[in-house]
Amino acid sequence: VKQLKRYYGDSVETQVSAVLEEYGLRGNLDVVLHLPQMRHGVEIKSSNDFWFSKVKREGPPMGYVWQATVYYKVLKLDKLSWLYYNKNTCELLEVEFKYKEDIWQAILDRAYDINKAAALNIAPKMLPECIPNGNKECEYCKVCLARCKQDADKCDTKEK
C-alpha cells in the first residue's frame, strides 16, 4: 500500500467502507485507486505456498468472489483485482475480478434469507454445496450441520 501511495499519491484511498444497509452487508476494501479513466479496487490477500498455488491453478475461492462482488457493486468500481502475496516466497500475483450478475443476485438472495431467518430466530437455509456432508472450505459448516442435526425443526436444509 505504501508503494501504491508513493506512485499514485492522493489517488489512493485505503480501507474503503462498502455498506449495503438494507441487507446488513458491510466490509472494507483494502485500496481504491481513483485514476483518470477508472476507479480500480484492489483487495490484498496474503497466503502460504499451498493456497498461493491453489489460487494460481483455480482462481480465488468463492467466498472471495462474493466479497469482491459486493465491493464492485456497492462502490461502483470499474475494475477490481486481488493482489496475492506469498508469505513463503514473497511472490506477487494479480488476479482480475470478473463481475457476474448471477453471483450478485445469489448474494442478495442469501442475505435476504439470512435476515429473514434471523428475524424468525431460526438457522438460515444451508447453501446447496453444504448439503448433505458439509463444505470443507466453509469455516461455519460444522456449526450449521451440528445445529441442524440438533434442532431439525428449526433448520431448513432444503434448497429453494
Side-chain angles (χ1 to χ4, degrees), residues 70-152:
V70 171
Y71 293 154
Y72 184 86
K73 282 295 277 192
V74 172
L75 297 174
K76 297 178 174 78
L77 299 171
D78 300 300
K79 182 177 179 180
L80 190 142
S81 302
W82 290 277
L83 183 60
Y84 281 86
Y85 171 73
N86 185 325
K87 295 184 282 188
N88 300 106
T89 65
C90 298
E91 185 180 355
L92 291 174
L93 172 69
E94 182 182 9
V95 179
E96 189 174 334
F97 166 76
K98 304 282 189 211
Y99 174 78
K100 294 182 181 173
E101 183 66 24
D102 60 324
I103 292 177
W104 175 243
Q105 288 305 314
I107 292 167
L108 296 180
D109 291 347
R110 183 68 178 152
Y112 174 81
D113 288 345
I114 290 170
N115 288 328
K116 183 178 171 185
L120 297 171
N121 198 29
I122 60 173
K125 292 178 184 175
M126 293 175 69
L127 294 172
E129 60 267 22
C130 287
I131 303 167
N133 299 316
N135 177 352
K136 293 183 176 120
E137 289 189 15
C138 177
E139 60 188 90
Y140 300 106
C141 202
K142 289 179 184 175
V143 175
C144 290
L145 286 173
R147 183 164 179 197
C148 286
K149 287 175 184 172
Q150 178 184 3
D151 298 323

